[in-house]
Amino acid sequence: MQDSSRPVTGYPVQNANGCAAPPPPVASGTAYPYVNPNPYPYYPAAPQPQNPRPTFLRRLFVAFALFLIIFGTVLLIFWLVLRPHFPDFAIQSLSLSNYNGTNQRVTATWNAQFQVSNPNKKLTIYYGDIASSVFYKDYFLAETRIGPFVQGTRNLTMVDASYSLVDAYVDGKVVDAINGDRRSSQVKFNVKVVADVGFRYGGWRGRRRLLRVWCNDVSLSGSSGKMTGGPKTCTVG
């Protein structure tokens, strides 16, 4: 017979009070699962909002640069298609009359006729404020104003100008040099023209610019009463 005091194998061992005995302790070599000591979950920091001002300025600068490039390209193509050219100037005739030069006082009259040619096929030229001067070498003698005018494409225009001195002071060396040239029946003068000009094509107007014309060493010859000369091609710049 089996001993009834021995516990049946497979059932928990009961203590003296009749309660089940606690389970045996876990061996020290057994690993425990990791428990996060921080009870609060970790969330990454939210990104800081960016300042939209630098981005706006950058886009504005890029748009402005593109506008300048496109505008410059269109203007360059338009300019190359029209091919603007300065007008051509020449003195058709220049005369000196009523001359009297004594004791650093000079009375004289010059009359000039300019031939102005517009070589452009598509551009009209507008001449605004026009001033013309007469020089003996580098010495200024007289100045006059010429009225504004408009010159069409491929147009040739004759422009008259008159200069005068009436008992005006002129340096004695200049008076002596002019008198000496006149006695030899040949005297040379320089004529300058400065004009405010603009180009136009239909409704388009180009930027106005200052036109400078030099007609150097225009030789006059003839009697002491009246001396004439020309034609003479001028330099335009």
Side-chain angles (χ1 to χ4, degrees):
M1 293 183 63
Q2 296 181 350
D3 187 358
S4 60
S5 62
R6 295 182 58 187
V8 180
T9 302
Y11 291 88
V13 179
Q14 297 180 351
N15 54 19
N17 297 326
C19 298
V26 181
S28 60
T30 305
Y32 289 92
Y34 172 77
V35 178
N36 186 1
N38 186 3
Y40 301 101
Y42 172 76
Y43 297 99
Q48 296 295 327
Q50 296 182 353
N51 187 0
R53 185 175 179 81
T55 303
F56 172 76
L57 293 178
R58 192 159 43 245
R59 291 178 179 176
L60 182 63
F61 176 77
V62 172
F64 183 71
L66 290 176
F67 171 77
L68 288 181
I69 293 174
I70 295 174
F71 179 77
T73 303
V74 172
L75 186 62
L76 177 62
I77 295 174
F78 189 71
W79 193 255
L80 292 176
V81 169
L82 295 179
R83 293 184 178 277
H85 296 283
F86 285 133
D88 297 322
F89 273 76
I91 284 188
Q92 196 67 16
S93 64
L94 178 66
S95 65
L96 172 64
S97 60
N98 303 324
Y99 177 83
N100 183 20
T102 56
N103 299 326
Q104 299 183 337
R105 313 300 296 186
V106 173
T107 296
T109 301
W110 292 265
N111 288 287
Q113 185 179 61
F114 297 93
Q115 178 179 283
V116 185
S117 174
N118 178 9
N120 295 283
K121 298 180 180 180
K122 301 178 180 180
L123 292 173
T124 301
I125 302 179
Y126 289 77
Y127 299 83
D129 188 22
I130 308 173
S132 182
S133 309
V134 174
F135 296 79
Y136 178 78
K137 296 182 179 179
D138 293 332
Y139 189 88
F140 170 81
L141 293 173
E143 184 181 47
T144 189
R145 315 295 287 189
I146 301 174
F149 63 97
V150 179
Q151 194 171 36
T153 59
R154 294 287 189 174
N155 182 264
L156 186 65
T157 305
M158 307 303 293
V159 179
D160 296 325
S162 180
Y163 321 78
S164 63
L165 289 177
V166 179
D167 196 29
Y169 169 81
V170 177
D171 188 278
K173 295 181 180 179
V174 176
V175 175
D176 293 340
I178 294 175
N179 291 339
D181 290 343
R182 290 181 70 251
R183 284 192 293 269
S184 65
S185 299
Q186 186 178 46
V187 59
K188 294 181 179 180
F189 293 99
N190 299 326
V191 181
K192 181 182 180 181
V193 178
V194 178
D196 177 30
V197 302
F199 296 90
R200 177 184 289 183
Y201 175 71
W204 175 84
R205 289 187 178 185
R207 181 176 59 88
R208 301 190 70 87
R209 61 184 60 197
L210 197 64
L211 188 70
R212 293 180 174 87
V213 181
W214 276 101
C215 308
N216 293 325
D217 297 330
V218 183
S219 181
L220 307 184
S221 59
S223 63
S224 58
K226 184 175 183 179
M227 306 183 75
T228 61
K232 179 73 174 183
T233 302
C234 305
T235 303
V236 181

